Amino acid sequence: MSQVTVFTKNNCVQCKMTKKYLDQLGVGFEEINIEEQPEYLSQLKEEGFKQTPVVKIEGQEAISGFQPAVLKQLTA
């Protein structure tokens, strides 16, 4: 299975939905909270992201926001 990293921040509804959905699918992921680890914030901004969550999936283009259709493909 591909390595999945979810960049989140506090009080982010779409972040919570993304994490809950990945858990429901049984997909393991690493969470990086950019408020607790601000060194990742500039990296995400340089990559053009302006909102969380940002989901990086090994071998795929990173996505932003809660996108269940894309996440469901991880179980295929």
Side-chain angles (χ1 to χ4, degrees), residues 2-4 8 23 25 28 30 33-34 36 50 55 59 62 68 74 76:
S2 298
Q3 180 178 344
V4 178
T8 65
D23 283 338
L25 293 173
E30 175 186 6
N33 184 313
I34 60 172
E36 296 171 5
K50 297 179 179 167
V55 181
L74 292 170

Side-chain angles (χ1 to χ4, degrees), residues 8-76:
T8 65
K9 65 179 183 178
N10 299 332
N11 302 314
C12 167
V13 174
Q14 289 193 39
C15 299
K16 290 177 185 175
M17 291 170 59
T18 297
K19 294 185 299 181
K20 183 177 180 179
Y21 192 66
L22 287 171
D23 283 338
Q24 288 174 346
L25 293 173
V27 174
F29 61 92
E30 175 186 6
E31 178 182 1
I32 297 176
N33 184 313
I34 60 172
E35 291 182 352
E36 296 171 5
Q37 296 177 278
E39 63 271 19
Y40 288 98
L41 181 58
S42 60
Q43 173 190 334
L44 293 175
K45 283 184 175 180
E46 287 173 14
E47 294 173 8
F49 294 105
K50 297 179 179 167
Q51 67 175 14
T52 54
V54 173
V55 181
K56 292 190 174 185
I57 303 164
E58 182 182 19
Q60 296 183 30
E61 191 170 325
I63 60 170
S64 180
F66 177 55
Q67 297 192 32
V70 174
L71 299 175
K72 188 170 178 83
Q73 293 175 6
L74 292 170
T75 62

